[in-house]
Amino acid sequence: MPKSIDELVDLLELEEIEVGLFRARQPDTRMQRAFGGQVLAQALCAAVRTVGADRSLHSMHGYFLIPGRTDIPIVYDVEQVRDGRSFSSRRVVARQGGKTIFYLSASYQIAEEGFEHQDPLPEDVPAPDDCPRYVDLLAEATGREPAVWQREYGALDVRFAGDSRPGGTLSDPRHPARARVWVRADGRLPDDRWIHQAALAYASDLTLLAAATVPHGVFIGDPRLQAASLDHAMWFLREFRADTWLLYDQVSPSASNARGLSTGRLFQEGTLVADVAQEGLIRPTR
């Protein structure tokens, strides 16, 4: 995973090797497999290169098929499915080493006037500066130095704002699996909208599946757990900046059959800007 915001931006700059065919570089990482958020973000960056500037991403749906490797590039093949008067659809296939590792469908829309409503910002959320860094909590849980996690997650500034584990600050019998974090890119991003959308997709994959493990006494990265993203959907509702604090309110309504389902809402300055859903493998190891 990129250790700085500059490296993240570099990862989002793809090489076009043929019309609709793009090659992406890999970060310098010690991870054994490619981070799902990286694949999501790079696939979006490939798709947007084929869409008119008058259209903005409003939804994406991705399926992770096999783990991506970190030692060879990923190639993204974009199919221009449809361009209508208001919407454009794209399908992206990610391949690596001759194997398909990921599918993405994305939809883009022109700006239009319409009805407006939204859920309110959750109450009683501590400010980002009052919350511990996520890398410090990971270090405490794993026994590895914070610098190890900072090296992998340094492109993001993530602060833990509470969860619903026993004794947690979000205890709620109606929602036994809930977690909140503040997140932003750790540095200034270019002003291009597509970079902010790709960066938010990248960040959205970091903590969402972990919400499904909250009531069970394990965490992502725990040797007692095999975890992996299976699919990921995201809806971009309003304008935002990924380098400004966003509250990520995450709930897991169900875990069963070694899978966990999590949903998340992303708020910025009181405005609901994106919604996320993900199902992932959370298999207890034996």
Side-chain angles (χ1 to χ4, degrees), residues 16 29 37 41 51 141 143-144 147 159 162 174 180 182 187 190 194-195 205 227 232 234-235 266 275 279:
E16 187 169 13
T29 179
V51 178
R144 303 174 73 182
R159 309 293 178 92
R174 298 180 60 220
R180 288 177 183 154
W182 289 99
W194 63 268
I195 289 184
D205 188 47
H232 195 102
M234 195 164 184
W235 295 264
L266 285 148
D275 214 300
E279 189 174 46

Side-chain angles (χ1 to χ4, degrees), residues 5 128 183 238 272:
I5 192 64
V183 61
R238 295 173 178 85
L272 180 61

Side-chain angles (χ1 to χ4, degrees), residues 178-249:
R178 183 163 218 153
R180 288 177 183 154
V181 297
W182 289 99
V183 61
R184 65 179 176 183
D186 195 12
R188 179 78 178 183
L189 288 170
D191 291 335
D192 305 270
R193 176 193 292 148
W194 63 268
I195 289 184
H196 289 265
Q197 292 178 326
L200 191 61
Y202 174 90
S204 71
D205 188 47
L206 181 61
T207 61
L208 188 55
L209 184 57
T213 71
V214 164
H216 305 292
V218 293
F219 55 90
I220 303 299
D222 194 312
R224 297 170 294 171
L225 181 71
Q226 181 185 2
S229 300
L230 298 174
D231 62 5
H232 195 102
M234 195 164 184
W235 295 264
F236 296 87
L237 308 174
R238 295 173 178 85
E239 293 294 319
F240 64 90
R241 289 194 66 91
D243 52 10
T244 301
W245 284 119
L246 296 117
L247 176 66
Y248 200 2
D249 182 34

Side-chain angles (χ1 to χ4, degrees), residues 56-60 87-88 107-109 197 234-237:
S56 176
L57 177 69
H58 74 89
S59 73
M60 49 152 275
F87 291 87
S88 292
S107 183
Y108 300 78
Q109 183 190 13
Q197 292 178 326
M234 195 164 184
W235 295 264
F236 296 87
L237 308 174

Side-chain angles (χ1 to χ4, degrees), residues 40 61-66 101-105 229-232:
L40 283 171
H61 301 257
Y63 279 92
F64 298 94
L65 305 179
I66 60 175
I101 66 169
F102 175 76
Y103 283 121
L104 175 81
S105 293
S229 300
L230 298 174
D231 62 5
H232 195 102

Side-chain angles (χ1 to χ4, degrees), residues 6 18-19 43 65 107 122 234 250 255:
D6 290 337
E18 180 57 84
V19 176
L65 305 179
S107 183
M234 195 164 184
Q250 303 158 107

Side-chain angles (χ1 to χ4, degrees), residues 143-182:
R144 303 174 73 182
E145 291 295 323
V148 174
W149 297 106
Q150 185 67 24
R151 182 182 185 277
E152 297 294 341
Y153 299 149
L156 301 175
D157 188 354
V158 184
R159 309 293 178 92
F160 179 71
D163 65 21
S164 60
R165 72 184 67 247
T169 58
L170 300 180
S171 179
D172 180 355
R174 298 180 60 220
H175 300 289
R178 183 163 218 153
R180 288 177 183 154
V181 297
W182 289 99

